[in-house]
Amino acid sequence: MNLSPLPPVMLEPLVRTALLEDLGRAGDVSTDAIVTPYHYTRTVLVGRQHGIVAGLDLAMLAFRLISPDVEISVERPDGRGVVEGQVIASVSGPARAILTAERTALNFLCHLSGIATATASVVAAVRGHSAKIVCTRKTTPGLRAVEKYAVRAGGGANHRFGLDDALLIKDNHIAIAGGIRAAIKRARASAGHLVKIEVEVDTLTQLEEALTLAPDAVLLDNMSVDQLREAVLMVAGRAITEASGRITAASAPAIAATGVDLISIGWLTHSAPILDIGLDCRAP
């Protein structure tokens, strides 16, 4: 997988904040009391269940911000699968630094690998169909960029990164504007020539009305499989079609079979379970 890592300048503030939160006011009093300053050790990051790796850059940065003398050798890079007992990376260097950074490194690595693993499960479920699996803005505050990166590591794609990416006309916009037609007309009057417009619809009647104003994309929210199939026929390639609403790996294949272009899933970033990964000491 050709997965471009995020620039360190984006990652360092996140990792520094997490480390400072953990270090508190007095640092790692447990490790400092038990481990001598000159003790060097070798540890390994090991998968404890099957999944997809994501977040190694953040984990490595956590160790190296505590001590630049920590050396890391990656065996299973981001985007690669890992099975129970398989080594993801070896981490060697000052024992104090490794133990102090351990929890912060694992918090990032387990969380992002969990997102990548969840994404991969849905991507696999719709294999053979053209629909792309995409995430949403339902992300942990402050972690959106890395959580969306983890979705890509799992084979998915990204929806909007923020409110300024595109004009997405939601149900509340429509209610306040007084209808779909008014909302789209106002959006089109405001949008620059490079800004795309997507409108959310709940019914086929709303979709029919929206299509008269030629939006770039339509979000088909909480529609049944039969409705989605009919919606795709109505759109007939005139706009990108996006299905959303409580979609799981079990329900995704039938939705993909309707011919929609995108399947957006919020729980990939807001509720995916972590991937269990541990740090094991291999040498004194």
Side-chain angles (χ1 to χ4, degrees):
M1 175 182 292
N2 184 18
L3 183 66
S4 299
L6 295 173
V9 69
M10 293 175 63
L11 304 182
E12 187 167 327
L14 298 178
V15 179
R16 282 189 180 276
T17 298
L19 286 169
L20 289 171
E21 178 182 56
D22 216 18
L23 288 165
R25 295 167 297 176
D28 184 356
V29 295
S30 303
T31 296
D32 290 349
I34 297 166
V35 181
T36 64
Y38 307 106
H39 189 100
Y40 279 67
T41 191
R42 175 179 176 268
T43 62
V44 287
L45 290 163
V46 180
R48 291 180 176 160
Q49 60 185 131
H50 175 77
I52 304 295
V53 177
L56 275 170
D57 282 350
L58 289 101
M60 291 189 290
L61 190 56
F63 291 117
R64 286 175 174 155
L65 282 174
I66 298 298
S67 172
D69 294 329
V70 173
E71 296 182 357
I72 300 167
S73 177
V74 175
E75 296 187 23
R76 308 296 296 175
D78 283 4
R80 293 284 296 275
V82 63
V83 298
E84 183 179 355
Q86 192 168 28
V87 173
I88 298 170
S90 62
V91 184
S92 304
R96 277 189 173 183
I98 292 172
L99 295 182
T100 294
E102 175 184 359
R103 178 43 50 200
T104 296
L106 287 174
N107 281 347
F108 281 119
L109 186 59
C110 294
H111 175 54
L112 297 183
S113 295
I115 291 172
T117 300
T119 303
S121 71
V122 187
V123 170
V126 302
R127 191 163 289 129
H129 300 287
S130 61
K132 288 184 178 180
I133 302 302
V134 299
C135 54
T136 71
R137 286 171 41 247
K138 295 175 182 177
T139 54
T140 307
L143 297 183
R144 180 170 295 168
V146 295
E147 290 179 341
K148 282 181 171 285
Y149 165 82
V151 168
R152 299 197 302 276
N158 296 147
H159 205 288
R160 292 191 298 170
F161 273 78
L163 293 171
D164 59 344
D165 280 5
L167 271 159
L168 177 50
I169 303 169
K170 301 280 285 180
D171 53 353
N172 286 331
H173 295 125
I174 292 168
I176 291 171
I180 285 178
R181 183 174 296 274
I184 295 178
K185 284 186 174 181
R186 292 182 191 179
R188 195 170 300 285
S190 172
H193 68 286
L194 294 179
V195 179
K196 292 188 177 295
I197 296 174
E198 180 173 15
V199 59
E200 176 185 309
V201 298
D202 301 318
T203 68
L204 295 176
T205 300
Q206 285 183 320
L207 174 61
E208 185 176 23
E209 183 180 7
L211 289 173
T212 64
L213 293 170
D216 298 291
V218 288
L219 195 164
L220 310 169
D221 191 43
N222 283 303
M223 288 190 178
S224 69
V225 169
D226 288 340
Q227 288 175 313
L228 288 171
R229 189 177 296 109
E230 188 171 348
V232 170
L233 291 174
M234 288 174 61
V235 173
R238 290 177 289 167
I240 294 170
T241 53
E242 175 188 347
S244 71
R246 302 183 183 89
I247 299 170
T248 67
S251 63
I255 292 170
T258 66
V260 294
D261 299 302
L262 306 173
I263 296 175
S264 59
I265 304 176
W267 65 264
L268 294 178
T269 48
H270 71 62
S271 297
I274 67 159
L275 183 69
D276 193 3
I277 297 170
L279 182 76
D280 296 336
C281 185
R282 290 289 173 91

